[in-house]
Every structure is written in structure tokens, then in C-alpha cells.
């Protein structure tokens, strides 16, 4: 499978630097945004821009042209809100319908999902722990995954909490009092590693597979928050013992590591690179 052109549906905090990385690696890149103001930025960087919205039906620029590609990366975070939990699966079904209607024969599709689909089972969790909506804490995500996998030439990547650069977890809890989830282990992934992993799958597609994309180390939230506050001068929050042990999960990246042999740049969330 030779991939030369990549379309990224959702060029935001992850998608735009991913597009830049792919451009620098020699790919032709098409990128979608919901913001007209970003279109000149895309052009300037060399990304062919498309203003597209999924409401949940597609609206905006020429979707058929956007889908004329060797690989499609679907990277649209679900925003339930007022639309409800059914909205995101409807968006993904709309993409699948558009592929059928346009007759687009995309050789490879990558769907960026989330480790939030795993319930807190108080143990290590692996991909096979959630394969159907009834097993999931977020059934809508699993429905979306199943739609993508049903297309037959796709991979699902379940991303942990995306951090790095200006996303600093300690910033969001600075000065808070009596946090009761300090002992919970984190399931984070640095953006640089996330981009490298997506690129690795473009180079070595794994059709019909699901992979967890998280750093292999899982320090506690308290350790991460204290580290961030010490590094960047935020007010350290205080921690309290909960009346009962806080539920948790440790998401395993072992399948990812064994399959593509990825060497993490940031294996430990205590050593993530930030730019406050």
C-alpha cells in the first residue's frame, strides 16, 4: 500500500502539527477546519484547506475532493453537549455515507478514538476489554469505532489524555483544595509521540485493528500535578484522603509496542515537554 496523499478531517491542536509533520515527510496533505479564518494559515503552510462541518451531515467545501486521497485520518473530538451522545456516531456515519455516495476508494482510514471508553475496572485494561457499546463507559465512541472498522480498511487508535506544549495538567488544578483523586494513575500521551505513532501507522498499516495510544508509565495525578506546579510556579493544590479508594484504570500500550515497535520519546508523563 503506497500512501502519498493524506486527508486529515479535523486539523486542530493535534491535526495541524500532524499535517506539518506529514508535509515535512513528503506527503501531500489536505486538511479540514470549521474556521474560515484558518484557511489562509493552511495555504501558507502548504496544506490544501477545506472548510467542512459535520452537523452531523457534511456541510461546506467539496467533500468528494477532500475524500480523494490515499489515507483519511478522522480526528474530530466528540462534543456531546446539547447535541447529546448520539451526535458523534451520527457524524462518523455521515462520513461513511459520504464515502459510499462519492464512490471514494480510500485505501486506509485511521480513526482517533479515546481511552475514555474504558470503565474504571481498578486494573490494567487492554483493547479487548471494550469491543461492544455495552462494555463501555462511552458507548457512543464504540459505535463510532464500529462504523469505521466496518469500512474494512481501517485502524482505530484509542488515545489517552493528549498533553504537551501549552496543555499542562497542573495548570487546570492550580490552587484547588482537597482533591480526592490524587492517587489515581494517569493515562497520558504526549502530542509529539501521538504524531509519530500516527505516522508510523501510515508507513505500516494495521487493517481492522484497535490500539491504545498511551505512554507506558502511569504516575499518579498527584505526582504529575506537583511536578507541573514546581516546574512552572503554579500554586500547588491540596490533596485529601477519599472516604473510599478512588476507582481507576491503567491503560496498556503493550499491543502498540509489540506491533510497531514504537520507541516513546516521552515514556513518562513526569518528563513531558511543555511550553507554558
Amino acid at each position: 500500500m503506497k500512501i502519498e496523499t493524506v486527508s486529515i478531517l479535523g486539523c486542530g491542536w493535534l491535526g495541524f502539527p500532524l499535517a506539518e509533520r506529514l508535509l515535512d515527510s513528503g506527503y501531500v496533505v489536505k486538511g479540514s477546519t470549521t474556521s474560515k479564518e484558518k484557511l489562509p494559515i493552511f495555504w501558507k503552510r502548504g496544506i490544501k484547506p477545506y472548510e467542512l462541518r459535520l452537523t452531523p451531515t457534511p456541510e461546506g467545501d467539496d467533500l468528494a475532493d477532500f475524500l480523494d486521497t490515499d489515507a483519511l485520518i478522522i480526528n474530530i473530538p466528540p462534543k456531546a453537549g446539547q447535541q447529546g451522545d448520539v451526535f458523534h456516531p451520527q457524524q462518523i456515519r455521515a462520513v461513511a455515507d459520504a464515502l459510499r455516495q462519492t464512490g471514494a476508494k480510500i485505501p486506509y482510514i485511521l480513526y482517533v478514538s479515546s481511552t475514555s471508553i474504558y470503565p474504571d475496572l481498578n486494573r490494567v485494561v487492554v483493547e479487548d476489554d471494550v469491543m461492544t457499546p455495552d462494555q463501555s463507559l462511552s458507548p457512543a465512541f464504540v459505535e463510532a469505532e464500529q462504523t469505521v472498522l466496518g469500512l474494512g480498511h481501517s485502524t482505530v487508535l484509542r488515545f489517552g489524555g493528549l498533553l504537551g506544549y501549552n496543555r499542562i495538567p497542573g495548570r487546570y488544578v492550580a490552587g484547588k483544595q482537597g482533591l480526592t483523586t490524587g492517587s489515581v494513575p494517569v493515562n497520558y500521551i504526549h502530542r509529539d509521540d501521538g504524531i509519530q505513532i500516527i505516522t508510523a501507522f501510515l508507513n505500516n498499516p494495521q487493517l481492522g485493528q484497535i490500539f491504545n495510544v498511551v505512554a507506558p508509565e502511569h504516575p499518579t495525578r498527584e505526582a504529575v500535578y506537583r511536578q507541573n506546579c514546581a516546574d512552572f510556579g503554579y500554586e500547588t493544590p491540596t490533596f485529601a484522603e477519599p472516604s473510599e479508594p478512588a476507582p481507576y484504570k491503567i491503560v496498556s500500550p503493550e499491543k502498540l509496542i509489540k506491533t510497531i515497535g514504537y520507541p516513546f520519546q516521552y515514556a513518562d508523563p513526569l518528563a513531558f515537554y511543555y511550553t507554558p
Side-chain angles (χ1 to χ4, degrees):
M1 184 187 302
K2 186 172 178 59
I3 296 174
E4 296 178 341
T5 301
V6 179
S7 291
I8 303 174
L9 184 62
C11 276
W13 191 82
L14 171 65
F16 187 81
L18 169 62
E20 292 185 304
R21 169 60 188 254
L22 295 178
L23 282 169
D24 293 342
S25 297
Y27 292 93
V28 176
V29 180
K30 302 177 181 181
S32 82
T33 177
T34 59
S35 173
K36 187 181 295 289
E37 292 72 25
K38 291 183 179 179
L39 300 180
I41 299 173
F42 284 34
W43 277 118
K44 185 176 181 180
R45 185 59 182 89
I47 305 164
K48 186 176 181 181
Y50 296 76
E51 185 183 357
L52 291 172
R53 292 178 180 82
L54 294 173
T55 64
T57 54
E59 297 178 356
D61 290 335
D62 187 348
L63 182 61
D65 188 65
F66 178 78
L67 295 176
D68 182 13
T69 186
D70 300 320
L72 171 65
I73 299 171
I74 303 174
N75 176 44
I76 46 173
K79 296 179 180 177
Q82 295 179 346
Q83 290 102 343
D85 291 339
V86 300
F87 185 72
H88 185 64
Q90 289 173 340
Q91 289 180 306
I92 303 305
R93 284 196 293 271
V95 174
D97 290 343
L99 288 170
R100 298 185 187 101
Q101 291 166 8
T102 61
K105 303 295 184 182
I106 301 177
Y108 193 40
I109 299 174
L110 277 165
Y111 172 57
V112 177
S113 185
S114 171
T115 57
S116 66
I117 70 164
Y118 294 109
D120 290 327
L121 299 175
N122 300 321
R123 61 171 173 81
V124 174
V125 295
V126 298
E127 291 81 356
D128 288 347
D129 282 315
V130 172
M131 300 301 292
T132 59
D134 63 288
Q135 296 173 316
S136 177
L137 191 65
S138 304
F141 254 132
V142 184
E143 292 175 25
E145 290 182 353
Q146 290 176 332
T147 297
V148 174
L149 290 171
L151 294 170
H153 40 90
S154 51
T155 301
V156 168
L157 301 180
R158 292 174 175 170
F159 268 66
L162 266 163
L163 295 170
Y165 296 94
N166 62 336
R167 283 193 183 179
I168 309 171
R171 171 187 290 168
Y172 308 120
V173 297
K176 291 190 175 182
Q177 304 295 307
L179 298 180
T180 58
T181 57
S183 64
V184 172
V186 301
N187 298 288
Y188 292 158
I189 182 71
H190 194 279
R191 187 175 74 182
D192 288 352
D193 281 318
I195 289 171
Q196 295 270 37
I197 288 167
I198 291 173
T199 304
F201 277 101
L202 291 175
N203 293 328
N204 183 19
Q206 302 293 320
L207 302 183
Q209 295 292 311
I210 299 173
F211 295 91
N212 294 329
V213 181
V214 295
E217 299 296 328
H218 304 269
T220 64
R221 290 182 184 177
E222 180 174 352
V224 172
Y225 297 158
R226 288 188 181 279
Q227 181 75 58
N228 291 164
C229 291
D231 287 345
F232 303 113
Y234 305 139
E235 181 182 354
T236 304
T238 63
F239 300 88
E241 288 293 327
S243 56
E244 297 181 0
Y248 72 93
K249 55 180 172 274
I250 297 176
V251 180
S252 170
E254 287 307 308
K255 181 180 177 182
L256 171 76
I257 294 169
K258 290 179 180 178
T259 302
I260 67 171
Y262 180 71
F264 283 82
Q265 185 175 354
Y266 299 103
D268 186 352
L270 292 174
F272 278 9
Y273 172 71
Y274 298 106
T275 54

